[in-house]
Each structure stands twice: as C-alpha cells, then as structure tokens.
Amino acid sequence: MDFTNPLVYGVPFFLGLILLELTYSKTHDHKDLYHWRDLFSSVGMGVGSAIIAPLVKTITVILLFSFVYDLFNPLINGVRTNIMGYESFGYAWYVWVFCMLCDDFSYYWFHRQNHMVRFFWAAHIVHHSSDNFNLGTAVRNGWFTIFYKPLFYVWIVAIGFPPEMLVVCLGIEALWQFQLHTVFIPKLGFLDRFLNTHTMHQVHHACNIEYMDKNHGGILNVFDRIFGTWKPLDERIDISYGVTQPPDSYNIWVILTHEYADIWKDMKKSKNLKHKFMYVFGPPGWSHDGSTKTVKQIRNEMAIEKAQLEKAQKDKKQTKKNAAKVMAASA
C-alpha cells in the first residue's frame, strides 16, 4: 500500500505560517522576534535540507527500511511473517496508533542522543544556534542529522511495521515539531499533562542552565517524564535562547560546520586516544583538563555550592542562637 508523506503538503503550510507570524510580530509589540539575516540563514538551511532529505530518505526507504523489513518479515505462503513467528502488522487504525507511539519513542532517544553525544550535537546544534525562537527557527535544520537518524528507527520495521507506514509517522512527527516553535501559544492546561507543547519546547531551546537538555519529546512528553528529562516553563525565569558557544555568523556553511571544527581543535589538545575519543563521542562540554564543563558537571557544582551556602546559613543561625543562650545564662 502506498502513502504520501504528509511533509509534501507541509511545505506551503510552513511558509504560510512563517509569513503570518512574521507579519504579526512586525505589526505588534514583538519586532525583535525575527531578525532578517538570521531568518534568511534559517530558510536557506531549510531549503538545503528540503533538497537533500528526499534523496537520503529515498535511499533510506529503498535500501535500509525495505531491506530490513524484508529480512525480518519474509513472505511465507504469501503472508508477511515476522521471524519471531507472528504475522507482520497490517493497516488497522490501532496499528497506526502503535506505530506512532514507536516513532515517538524513537524520536525521544534520537533527539536526546543529539544532545548527549557531541558528534551528534555537532549536527543538531544547527537547529539551536539561533538566539531567536520563532517558526523560522523551526526550518533551521542541519543537513547531516538525516544521514544517521534512520538508524534510530530501523527497529520499527524490523518488528513488522511496513516502511511506508513509518515514513508517514515520521512526517506527522515533523509537522508537530514545526508548529511548536512559537512564543504566541501559552500553556495549554490539561494538554500539558501528556503533550509536548509550545512552552515546553521554549524550555528545550533555552540556554539557561536550568533548562538545558530538557524536553526531548516529539508529540508526547511521557518519555521525558519517565526518563527524567521533563521540565515545565517557569515564568519567573527570563529565557535566553540559543547555545553557549554560538557560531557568530550568518554564513550557512559556518553554521552547519562550526562545531565539527571545534571538535577537531579540541582533539588536538591531548595526545591521549581516550581523550580524543571523548571529545568526539563524549557529552558536549567534556574536557580532559576541566577547562570546559558538561551540563551535568555544572549542575552538580551548582548543587554543591547551594548546599554549602545553606549549611553556612544554618550554622550562622545556630551560632546566633548559642550566643543568645550564653548571654541569657550569664544574665
């Protein structure tokens, strides 16, 4: 059975919403929401991604997903049968729901690893490199993530879901992700309990230490809640968008490759092979000499400092109480 990827219809939808948000921001009290050079860079990368992605996806579906599907779900007496012995999945509505859940689970881990492994982060940082949060940023996609992204999803076709079904689910996921990039949608009450919503995605794009590496979910936030990466928006925190080490350039090639250049520079800091490996595949911010810190290390240091401060304040209060008791006794 053939299906059309919903992203085919999404492109004019994307452009229309960007134009609508842009117009609204410029005619109301949000004139700094869009910066022209930044928008042109984002759109340029989006166009490049739109050109490269279909080629890669075609190869992926034909050579990878289809190969794995046929390998793990051979035809036996005219019926697709998984190597585990059950009949491969069809196209019932509940199968679509289950496939969407599998897709969302894979998206969570794909997205989370993009933040946890520096080599993946080098490709994904492109999407976070703008200090603006708007629908233009939504199309600011790196060109290199699409080469390894399918590896996080291939298990779905291996267990029996048709490749074309997975491709449609991937398209639906992308459509949801696009519309999350706006500041004009407030918290959604009951829906915030299970959906990955606009305010949660604002948290994800923030470079505040409280917010970094949070809310990796696709459509649902359930996996963030289960695996400890969920955080709601706190209106008391003034959000700063972007990354701690921005490319400081509107040149598309610089934006796409600057983190790879930084990895290469860091690898040359040490002759130790383990250090070189960690600079490539360790978490962003890792360093062999402590010159830079990971988000986890920074948070741990902040927690220690907070505990020490609280202890000092407690000791100070106790000292005052003891002094007061001595003075009362002497009186």
Side-chain angles (χ1 to χ4, degrees):
M1 187 176 294
D2 294 324
F3 298 100
T4 300
N5 189 329
L7 282 180
V8 172
Y9 307 106
V11 173
F13 173 74
F14 292 169
L15 295 176
L17 283 181
I18 291 173
L19 182 60
L20 179 63
E21 185 184 56
L22 174 62
T23 302
Y24 180 84
S25 67
K26 294 301 182 183
T27 55
H28 292 72
D29 192 24
H30 298 279
K31 291 181 173 58
D32 292 333
L33 185 65
Y34 277 87
H35 297 148
W36 291 112
R37 293 183 68 185
D38 182 78
L39 175 61
F40 292 149
S41 295
S42 296
V43 172
M45 284 179 282
V47 170
S49 181
I51 294 171
I52 296 171
L55 300 175
V56 175
K57 288 178 180 178
T58 298
I59 295 173
T60 298
V61 172
I62 294 175
L63 296 184
L64 181 60
F65 286 173
S66 295
F67 171 76
V68 172
Y69 181 70
D70 291 338
L71 180 65
F72 286 85
N73 302 272
L75 278 170
I76 300 178
N77 297 323
V79 178
R80 286 284 181 185
T81 306
N82 191 269
I83 59 173
M84 299 299 292
Y86 56 84
E87 185 175 330
S88 303
F89 306 123
Y91 298 96
W93 67 268
Y94 53 85
V95 177
W96 279 96
V97 172
F98 188 35
C99 186
M100 199 70 240
L101 285 172
C102 292
D103 169 89
D104 213 45
F105 177 78
S106 292
Y107 181 87
Y108 171 82
W109 284 107
F110 158 72
H111 196 180
R112 182 170 176 176
Q113 293 311 305
N114 277 337
H115 286 256
M116 297 295 104
V117 178
R118 193 178 180 190
F119 184 72
F120 293 158
W121 175 241
H124 185 61
I125 192 176
V126 174
H127 182 62
H128 286 262
S129 59
S130 172
D131 57 5
N132 298 312
F133 183 78
N134 51 48
L135 293 176
T137 304
V139 299
R140 189 186 185 95
N141 295 315
W143 296 355
F144 307 124
T145 56
I146 54 181
F147 290 100
Y148 62 84
K149 182 178 180 178
L151 300 177
F152 286 85
Y153 294 82
V154 69
W155 68 274
I156 298 176
V157 294
I159 66 173
F161 290 99
E164 60 272 18
M165 179 181 285
L166 174 57
V167 170
V168 172
C169 290
L170 285 165
I172 294 172
E173 190 93 52
L175 289 174
W176 181 264
Q177 280 290 304
F178 169 80
Q179 58 86 39
L180 290 178
H181 295 78
T182 181
V183 297
F184 294 124
I185 306 296
K187 289 186 176 181
L188 298 177
F190 172 74
L191 296 178
D192 287 325
R193 296 185 179 184
F194 59 92
L195 289 178
N196 181 31
T197 57
H198 309 80
T199 56
M200 293 175 199
H201 207 59
Q202 290 175 43
V203 167
H204 179 72
H205 271 261
C207 60
N208 307 64
I209 190 63
E210 305 96 324
Y211 284 161
M212 291 174 71
D213 296 340
K214 298 295 183 181
N215 299 349
H216 304 294
I219 295 176
L220 303 175
N221 64 46
V222 61
F223 301 117
D224 279 300
R225 291 178 182 271
I226 291 173
F227 298 112
T229 53
W230 180 76
K231 189 173 182 64
L233 178 69
D234 186 344
E235 287 85 354
R236 296 170 298 179
I237 298 175
D238 187 18
I239 289 185
S240 295
Y241 295 110
V243 293
T244 55
Q245 292 184 310
D248 292 327
S249 174
Y250 296 109
N251 182 291
I252 291 176
W253 187 247
V254 172
I255 296 172
L256 287 168
T257 62
H258 76 278
E259 182 66 12
Y260 294 106
D262 288 344
I263 290 176
W264 179 247
K265 291 177 184 176
D266 288 342
M267 288 177 67
K268 293 188 288 186
K269 291 179 179 178
S270 173
K271 295 181 179 180
N272 187 296
L273 291 179
K274 181 180 178 181
H275 293 166
K276 292 180 182 295
F277 178 87
M278 287 298 293
Y279 277 121
V280 179
F281 297 105
W286 182 91
S287 62
H288 73 286
D289 57 3
S291 57
T292 57
K293 304 288 179 67
T294 67
V295 171
K296 185 177 181 180
Q297 289 173 329
I298 294 173
R299 286 196 179 123
N300 287 340
E301 290 179 355
M302 291 175 64
I304 292 172
E305 290 176 1
K306 182 180 179 182
Q308 290 174 341
L309 179 61
E310 290 176 348
K311 185 178 184 301
Q313 292 174 341
K314 185 177 180 181
D315 291 344
K316 187 176 181 180
K317 289 181 180 179
Q318 187 61 47
T319 300
K320 287 183 177 180
K321 287 182 180 179
N322 293 339
K325 289 179 180 179
V326 171
M327 292 178 64
S330 60

